[in-house]
Amino acid sequence: METLRTRAPAKINLTLRIVRRRTDGFHDLASLVAFSGAADLLSLSPDATLSLAVKGRTAAAAGPDADNLVLRAARAFAAEVPGARLGAFLLEKRLPVAAGLGGGSSDAAAALRLLARLNGLANDDPRLFAAARATGSDVPVCLDPRARLMEGVGDLLSPPLALPPLAAVLVNCGVAVPTASVFRQLGLAPGAVFEGPALPAVLPGDRGPLIAAIAAVPNDLEPPAVAVAPQIAQVIDTLSAQPEARLVRMSGSGATVFALTDDCRAAAALARRVLAQEPGWWVKSTILR
């Protein structure tokens, strides 16, 4: 059978409310998630010994292959589907690592999609979702990478949302931000509730009102992430100073920052200007869906 291939798109948290810290130490969240055209690439050579090779610009930062979420997802899949066909994975890393883009989780979800295709499983097979949950809290939302609401610890997902495509620029200054450090800085005690605004029950279908609705609900992890990595503030300030930027916000637990613009042309112009100013940064113009 020929090699199977898929993309693992970056996950963008357009909003991210931390609703409470549970008594088990995990945090319940509420997030409007969309996915970017920027992506890692994953391929699977069927029926070879289960393995993973990693190449690409950020491969070294992805850590030891044995700890990669792709292999963890494959093993979770094998546990859910006894006798499943597996194979050799090749991951081309294009996204920054530890960057608030869900790159590892999206890679893992891509592995599950390839294994489902290889083994004739439907995309909505509950064993696929069970393997995703066993792999990591952000993996389920990445299984079917379309805009939706994510709640709980990432396990409660809305149906896909028909959002208008959002032109955006993604910027990462190269600093890795460990998620655990950000949550420690947030400092919620077990059982504590974190009050804040919520998205409207029905999101606007037009780009302008949608951006306004997104702007009214923050990323609660942005202030603690800036405290952990002050370089994020420089990225926010740089993007906010650009005339094309309609909304500037950090994604996930950082350090990637996105700017929403009116259209693709404005995003491309903004990206060129920022890259000329900061050639060492990772800068991508894209569409969020």
Side-chain angles (χ1 to χ4, degrees):
M1 187 175 180
E2 66 181 20
T3 299
L4 305 177
R5 295 178 174 83
T6 193
R7 299 169 65 258
K11 174 183 67 66
I12 306 299
N13 298 93
L14 294 170
T15 67
L16 180 52
R17 288 281 351 281
I18 305 303
V19 178
R20 66 181 62 83
R21 184 177 180 186
R22 303 178 349 173
T23 54
D24 61 7
F26 290 97
H27 293 77
D28 283 331
L29 57 85
S31 179
L32 175 60
V33 170
F35 289 85
S36 164
D40 292 336
L41 303 178
L42 187 67
S43 62
L44 172 63
S45 298
D47 302 323
T49 300
L50 177 62
S51 63
L52 171 66
V54 185
K55 66 176 185 178
R57 178 175 176 269
T58 58
D65 295 349
D67 294 336
N68 194 286
L69 289 180
V70 168
L71 290 181
R72 193 184 302 176
R75 295 186 183 109
F77 183 91
E80 293 290 333
V81 187
R85 297 169 66 188
L86 302 175
F89 289 98
L90 174 61
L91 174 62
E92 182 178 345
K93 286 296 296 180
R94 296 182 171 184
L95 300 175
V97 175
L101 297 174
S105 296
S106 191
D107 295 341
L112 293 173
R113 291 197 301 273
L114 291 179
L115 290 171
R117 193 190 314 173
L118 177 62
N119 288 275
L121 270 65
N123 290 337
D124 59 354
D125 191 300
R127 292 171 292 180
L128 206 58
F129 190 78
R133 287 187 62 183
T135 304
S137 58
D138 271 356
V139 181
V141 75
C142 297
L143 273 178
D144 178 13
R146 292 184 284 173
R148 65 184 75 223
L149 296 171
M150 177 174 67
E151 296 181 286
V153 292
D155 56 332
L156 303 177
L157 305 177
S158 76
L161 302 172
L163 300 185
L166 296 171
V169 176
L170 310 180
V171 179
N172 186 279
C173 63
V175 60
V177 182
T179 300
S181 299
V182 175
F183 275 103
R184 279 196 298 271
Q185 183 68 31
L186 181 66
L188 286 185
V193 174
F194 197 24
E195 299 290 349
L199 286 165
V202 178
L203 291 171
D206 294 330
R207 184 178 291 104
L210 175 62
I211 291 175
I214 292 169
V217 182
N219 178 347
D220 288 336
L221 295 183
E222 187 174 301
V226 169
V228 171
Q231 301 95 319
I232 297 171
Q234 181 188 352
V235 182
I236 293 172
D237 290 345
T238 298
L239 287 174
S240 298
Q242 307 306 316
E244 297 89 354
R246 297 293 172 261
L247 171 66
V248 175
R249 177 169 289 166
M250 190 187 78
S251 178
S253 58
T256 301
V257 177
F258 65 86
L260 300 182
T261 65
D262 288 334
D263 52 37
C264 294
R265 181 174 297 180
L270 189 159
R272 284 193 300 269
R273 196 179 308 113
V274 170
L275 193 56
Q277 181 179 332
E278 298 288 349
W281 289 359
W282 180 84
V283 181
K284 294 289 182 184
S285 60
T286 189
I287 294 291
L288 306 182
R289 302 179 187 275

